[in-house]
Amino acid sequence: MIDHRRLGRELDLFVSDPLAGAGLPIWLPAGAAARHAVEEYVRDLERRAGYQHVYSPPLGKRELFALSGHLGYFADDMFPPLRLSADDEFVLRPALCPHHALVYRARGRSYRELPLRIAELGGMYRAERSGVLGGLSRVRAISLNDAHNFCALDQVGEEVREILRLIREAHAALGVRPAGFRLSLRGPGEKYVGDDAQWARAEDLLRAALDGVDFTEAPGEAAFYGPKIDIQIVDAAGRESTLSTVQLDFDKPERFDLSYTDASGARRRPVMVHRSLVGSMERLFAYLIEVHQGAFPPWYAPVQLVLLPVDAGQAGAAAELARRAVAVGLRAEVDAGGSLGARIRDAAQRRVPYVGVVGAREAADGSVSLRLRDGRGLDPMPVADALGLVGAVVAARSSDLLPAAA
Ligand SMILES: [Zn+2]
């Protein structure tokens, strides 16, 4: 079984140190480089789709989470409040929605601004029991790809369909293969806010957006404030979890008294759509490490190109090639120590997609011999062509190691 914890250690992606605490992994440089590439991609995808990004703090006053309903309905999953004085308590947030509701109401809103899409890759915290924690898949400090889309009721259907389209696009680029779509509904019990009519209307809207999509229904898996579409993944151990999600919420706009002015000047209540395209960075990478067995598509490989001088005489040429690669935006490095065979094996073990061998002939005529991660070797080519080849694959966010034939 390919376990992301073992690969994470072998590939130096992250470390879990008991001194830091269970469920609080630390991303090492290689893991951080891969995550950074994914974060940049997601932010760009969202920006092109009309999202506006914000920053908000990972903790806030107790009253904020009392107003949002989290303290009433979600306290079991939260860390206890931090008390500075009797009337000054702070909460490590379990979700970003309360802060984004404050972004919405930072000023008056007009119907012309809707849908207003507020996005953030932000920190949040869950007081998971230590027994369920492991690697990146269940953590206590979560970095969520999150957004809240505030829209008029008649915009909800189109907005949800567009979110599902973005989710599919992001999954294709990352190599995520969803196990299925799930419509998560209210179950029995008191842990849900809102009235029956709100729940029924939200459910109808989500069903309509799922028209033509195969999905299962899961009573009892809704958020406390509304039903949701969950896109499920399965890990190497066969455990299913939710990666991407779209949730409808009529409750928080009430609680935060959110409104906009419609075309006739009347005050109206927006609907809040909570959505995550790729889930938390932690759960996403736990999955990606396993599904790719550490061999990420070149665009988010921690190191994309390793340059190997055959002997000391080519050290300068290899270093110059690495500088040029870094200058055009690639993640490249030189490995000069040990036998050539050992260095090639080491690059393969690290799942580096491209190895550039620089021998005496290549150094003399400004060329490089590329070896691909899958074992294929290419004839020596001019350095500019090699950088162009790697750059084209990276820019296309392709999973193939060679550019599509022209
Ligand atoms: Zn939310």
Side-chain angles (χ1 to χ4, degrees):
M1 187 186 78
I2 305 299
D3 181 332
H4 82 275
R5 286 170 293 190
R6 182 168 66 73
L7 274 171
R9 215 169 24 244
E10 283 174 19
L11 300 174
D12 278 332
L13 298 175
F14 66 92
V15 67
S16 300
D17 190 315
L19 187 58
L24 297 166
I26 299 164
W27 295 69
L28 298 174
R35 171 173 160 178
H36 196 117
V38 168
E39 288 187 4
E40 274 191 345
Y41 161 69
V42 172
R43 195 156 34 230
D44 190 56
L45 177 67
E46 290 173 340
R47 187 182 56 77
R48 290 166 192 269
Y51 286 76
Q52 303 178 70
H53 291 91
V54 297
Y55 290 108
S56 59
L59 78 172
K61 272 179 84 85
R62 184 181 213 287
E63 288 77 2
L64 175 61
F65 300 92
L67 180 62
S68 70
H70 285 94
L71 282 173
Y73 292 89
F74 205 70
D76 288 350
D77 294 291
M78 295 167 62
F79 282 94
L82 308 162
R83 193 169 195 194
L84 286 184
S85 65
D87 57 355
D88 209 10
E89 283 190 323
F90 292 85
V91 167
L92 285 174
R93 68 180 172 190
L96 279 65
C97 347
H99 282 102
H100 289 188
L102 298 185
V103 170
Y104 182 91
R105 73 174 205 189
R107 62 175 171 81
R109 301 292 178 181
S110 150
Y111 71 97
R112 291 188 200 85
E113 294 176 79
L114 306 185
L116 184 75
R117 307 179 180 99
I118 301 299
E120 180 173 4
L121 201 148
M124 60 185 219
Y125 299 85
R126 296 275 165 96
E128 302 273 10
R129 303 293 146 226
S130 54
V132 304
L133 300 171
L136 294 176
S137 48
R138 283 286 278 276
V139 294
R140 287 168 164 161
I142 297 163
S143 315
L144 187 66
N145 157 244
D146 203 8
H148 296 90
N149 303 11
F150 301 88
C151 32
L153 187 59
D154 63 5
Q155 295 172 323
V156 170
E158 179 53 32
E159 191 66 11
V160 172
R161 276 188 292 278
E162 172 64 7
I163 291 167
L164 293 175
R165 190 190 68 73
L166 288 172
I167 288 172
R168 285 195 185 87
E169 185 173 336
H171 286 179
L174 290 160
V176 173
R177 294 186 283 270
F181 284 61
R182 184 175 85 180
L183 180 59
S184 295
L185 304 169
R186 199 163 46 151
E190 304 289 304
K191 55 178 181 166
Y192 304 100
V193 294
D195 60 44
D196 290 348
Q198 281 180 355
W199 278 82
R201 190 165 50 171
E203 194 181 312
D204 287 346
L205 285 164
L206 289 183
R207 272 181 204 286
L210 281 169
D211 187 34
V213 178
D214 262 348
F215 66 94
T216 56
E217 297 193 6
E221 295 290 342
F224 73 81
Y225 46 76
K228 55 191 179 122
I229 297 170
D230 291 323
I231 293 125
Q232 303 297 102
I233 51 170
V234 175
D235 72 9
R239 282 180 303 244
E240 185 175 311
S241 59
T242 298
L243 187 70
S244 314
T245 183
V246 189
Q247 318 182 353
L248 286 196
D249 186 353
F250 295 99
D251 181 61
K252 267 178 215 71
E254 293 284 340
R255 288 170 176 266
F256 283 89
D257 193 26
L258 305 183
S259 67
Y260 64 91
T261 309
D262 73 10
S264 66
R267 196 170 169 262
R268 313 271 287 188
R269 189 77 75 203
V271 182
M272 193 168 174
V273 181
H274 309 243
R275 55 105 276 201
S276 180
L277 301 182
V278 295
S280 72
M281 288 300 112
E282 291 79 15
R283 181 168 287 173
L284 174 66
F285 268 89
Y287 173 82
L288 294 176
I289 291 167
E290 291 181 357
V291 81
H292 294 299
Q293 302 186 24
F296 298 137
W299 70 269
Y300 64 94
V303 173
Q304 294 161 325
L305 174 62
V306 166
L307 296 155
L308 309 181
V310 172
D311 62 41
Q314 296 88 48
E320 173 57 21
L321 212 171
R323 268 194 298 276
R324 285 180 65 178
V326 170
V328 297
L330 298 175
R331 293 182 290 279
E333 59 186 40
V334 175
D335 181 5
S339 77
L340 184 63
R343 285 180 280 152
I344 288 174
R345 281 194 298 279
D346 184 60
Q349 248 163 32
R350 295 167 63 202
R351 319 298 204 265
V352 176
Y354 302 96
V355 171
V357 177
V358 185
R361 197 182 52 164
E362 286 89 353
D365 67 6
S367 66
V368 60
S369 298
L370 283 186
R371 297 171 60 100
L372 311 186
R373 182 169 57 195
D374 59 15
R376 282 178 288 177
L378 307 182
D379 291 334
M381 66 178 85
V383 162
D385 291 2
L387 294 182
L389 183 154
V390 177
V393 171
V394 167
R397 295 197 189 86
S398 166
S399 295
D400 297 326
L401 298 174
L402 290 175

